[in-house]
């Protein structure tokens, strides 16, 4: 006669981390190798809260335990369903299996359950300004809603982990913990570069940087991406990021060249536009007169230089348009006594 043995006893908790208020299933797996089951017992710590005995009636017994609400209809010889779990149930559970006569062998398996409350929103990230450049001081705050266990926060700038930050943990009235992290950092040129994860094979992973050694920084034109990541073990990970590129530089004025007719025409048109009428008043008319004289000289050189006829035509048109303005300026200066005109007959 071959004696049977009790083997492969395991306790599986599904899920191992359960949210507060949800349900959890404790599965006790075992192999009786053909022997009948005498009993299966479930414990929280050292206290039994559920028992299944196939040779008794009723088969199931539930023992009072604070915070444990057993769903008897969903429980049997291999599993127990607990509804509406609370934080007090975090800890060790075990199941004890006993084979029936003639061996009455017993084996026990252990498991750990964690009751959690994860943040219900993504991290909130705020900065003092919206644009930064090298040399500026970056001040930022990041926070997460209360959770249990607490969320761990970290800042990264273009994939570089920023370690010089301050973290605060605030406990709420319902025994949750809110996390908050603050940053004050003078930005350097390296912060405006990005790491190429395909090139870096260091021991910190492709998104973690503790030093500049062994890293390849690639230009990230105008790019400064600040990210705040919140993580609760392997249960939760969310992030919020803000792009904080360098301010746009002042636009560079277009150069006026003589290489194209359109450039010259645009220059004259903008200079002699109607909106520029005030230039004809006061002492400015002298400059205009000098310009007109130069313009006439320019027209006189058309035949000797490679100047297109459209350009010359535009210049001549603008000069003729400004003659009334020049005449007004001369009359105004003459009436004020600045310039005196003698009649042709005054000799």
């Amino acid at each position: 006669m071959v004696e049977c043995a009790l083997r492969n006893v395991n306790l599986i908790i599904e899920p191992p981390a359960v949210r507060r208020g949800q349900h959890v299933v404790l599965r006790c797996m075992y192999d009786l190798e053909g022997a009948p089951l005498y009993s299966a017992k479930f414990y929280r710590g050292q206290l039994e809260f559920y028992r299944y005995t196939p040779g008794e009636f009723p088969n199931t017994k539930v023992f009072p335990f604070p915070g444990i609400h057993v769903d008897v209809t969903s429980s049997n010889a291999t599993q127990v369903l607990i509804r509406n779990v609370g934080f007090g149930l975090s800890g060790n559970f075990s199941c004890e299996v006993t084979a029936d006569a003639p061996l009455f062998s017993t084996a026990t398996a252990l498991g750990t359950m964690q009751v959690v409350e994860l943040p219900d929103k993504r991290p909130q990230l705020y900065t003092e300004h919206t644009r930064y450049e090298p040399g500026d001081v970056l001040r930022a705050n990041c926070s997460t809603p209360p959770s249990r266990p607490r969320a761990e926060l970290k800042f990264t700038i273009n994939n570089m982990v920023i370690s010089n930050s301050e973290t605060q943990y605030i406990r709420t009235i319902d025994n949750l913990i809110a996390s908050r992290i603050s940053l004050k950092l003078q930005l350097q040129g390296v912060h405006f570069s990005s790491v190429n994860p395909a090139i870096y094979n260091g021991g910190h992973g492709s998104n973690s940087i503790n030093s500049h050694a062994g890293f390849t920084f690639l230009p990230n034109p105008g790019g400064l991406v600040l990210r705040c990541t919140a993580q609760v073990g392997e249960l939760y990970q969310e992030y919020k990021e803000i792009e904080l590129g360098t301010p746009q530089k002042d636009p560079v004025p277009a150069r006026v060249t003589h290489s194209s007719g359109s450039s010259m025409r645009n220059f004259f048109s903008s200079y002699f536009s109607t909106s520029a009428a005030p230039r004809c008043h006061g002492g400015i008319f002298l400059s205009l007169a000098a310009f007109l004289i130069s313009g006439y000289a320019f027209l006189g050189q058309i035949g000797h230089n490679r100047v297109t006829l459209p350009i010359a035509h535009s210049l001549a048109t603008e000069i003729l348009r400004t003659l009334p303005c020049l005449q007004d300026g001369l009359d105004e200066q003459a009436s004020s006594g600045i310039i005196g005109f003698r009649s042709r007959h005054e000799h």
Side-chain angles (χ1 to χ4, degrees):
M1 181 177 178
V2 179
E3 293 184 351
C4 298
L6 179 60
R7 300 190 312 170
N8 301 328
V9 179
N10 293 288
L11 178 60
I12 301 174
I13 300 177
E14 299 177 345
V18 55
R19 297 193 66 166
R20 178 178 59 169
Q22 302 297 313
H23 68 271
V24 63
V25 177
L26 282 64
R27 302 186 188 277
C28 189
M29 313 302 294
Y30 48 87
D31 183 5
L32 294 172
E33 291 192 333
L37 174 66
Y38 176 75
S39 67
K41 302 177 181 179
F42 289 81
Y43 295 83
R44 168 66 173 91
Q46 301 296 322
L47 299 178
E48 181 183 4
F49 66 90
Y50 176 82
R51 179 188 301 177
Y52 183 88
T53 309
E56 298 180 359
F57 184 83
N59 302 120
T60 59
K61 291 183 180 179
V62 177
F63 304 96
F65 191 99
I68 293 183
H69 309 284
V70 175
D71 186 340
V72 177
T73 60
S74 300
S75 304
N76 51 42
T78 59
Q79 73 174 32
V80 176
L81 188 146
I82 304 175
R83 295 192 178 278
N84 194 25
V85 298
F87 291 132
L89 296 187
S90 293
N92 295 326
F93 285 79
S94 62
C95 71
E96 178 187 275
V97 181
T98 303
D100 207 344
L103 297 179
F104 289 103
S105 57
T106 301
T108 303
L110 300 176
T112 303
M113 181 172 68
Q114 185 180 24
V115 181
V116 301
E117 183 66 41
L118 302 179
D120 57 359
K121 296 180 181 178
R122 297 172 60 188
Q124 300 296 309
L125 177 58
Y126 301 97
T127 57
E128 186 178 19
H129 303 293
T130 58
R131 313 294 290 181
Y132 290 87
E133 59 184 8
D136 291 343
V137 176
L138 171 62
R139 294 181 175 87
N141 293 315
C142 180
S143 60
T144 60
S147 64
R148 182 171 175 175
R150 69 192 188 192
E152 300 298 334
L153 300 175
K154 69 176 180 181
F155 279 120
T156 58
I157 295 180
N158 291 353
N159 295 327
M160 293 186 294
V161 176
I162 307 301
S163 57
N164 57 337
S165 55
E166 298 181 359
T167 306
Q168 295 178 312
Y169 301 106
I170 305 171
R171 188 176 296 273
T172 63
I173 56 176
D174 54 350
N175 212 23
L176 302 179
I177 301 175
S179 302
R180 175 186 172 92
I181 188 172
S182 301
L183 175 65
K184 180 181 179 182
L185 176 68
Q186 184 169 16
L187 297 173
Q188 308 292 332
V190 68
H191 295 128
F192 291 80
S193 301
S194 60
V195 174
N196 187 341
I199 297 178
Y200 172 66
N201 293 318
H204 304 290
S206 61
N207 291 326
S208 176
I209 300 177
N210 293 335
S211 66
H212 304 320
F215 292 83
T216 301
F217 291 95
L218 300 180
N220 188 8
L224 180 71
V225 179
L226 176 66
R227 174 181 292 191
C228 174
T229 302
Q231 185 168 355
V232 180
E234 298 180 356
L235 308 173
Y236 169 93
Q237 180 172 315
E238 290 285 351
Y239 68 89
K240 178 69 177 294
E241 65 181 24
I242 303 178
E243 293 188 21
L244 304 168
T246 56
Q248 295 183 353
K249 299 183 181 299
D250 294 335
V252 179
R255 292 184 300 171
V256 177
T257 64
H258 298 274
S259 59
S260 65
S262 60
S263 298
M264 180 68 74
R265 285 194 299 270
N266 292 338
F267 170 73
F268 288 130
S269 297
S270 61
Y271 190 88
F272 291 105
S273 63
T274 56
S275 61
R279 299 178 185 177
C280 297
H281 298 288
I284 300 177
F285 89 97
L286 293 175
S287 299
L288 180 58
F291 184 83
L292 292 176
I293 294 172
S294 300
Y296 282 116
F298 174 78
L299 291 175
Q301 297 297 323
I302 292 177
H304 302 284
N305 297 314
R306 293 183 179 180
V307 180
T308 61
L309 289 178
I311 300 177
H313 181 269
S314 299
L315 178 59
T317 301
E318 298 300 338
I319 291 175
L320 293 175
R321 287 174 53 190
T322 56
L323 288 178
C325 180
L326 177 61
Q327 183 62 49
D328 293 341
L330 292 173
D331 293 342
E332 179 181 345
Q333 298 298 326
S335 62
S336 60
I338 298 177
I339 298 178
F341 292 93
R342 293 187 303 169
S343 171
R344 294 181 183 180
H345 305 288
E346 294 180 4
H347 296 285

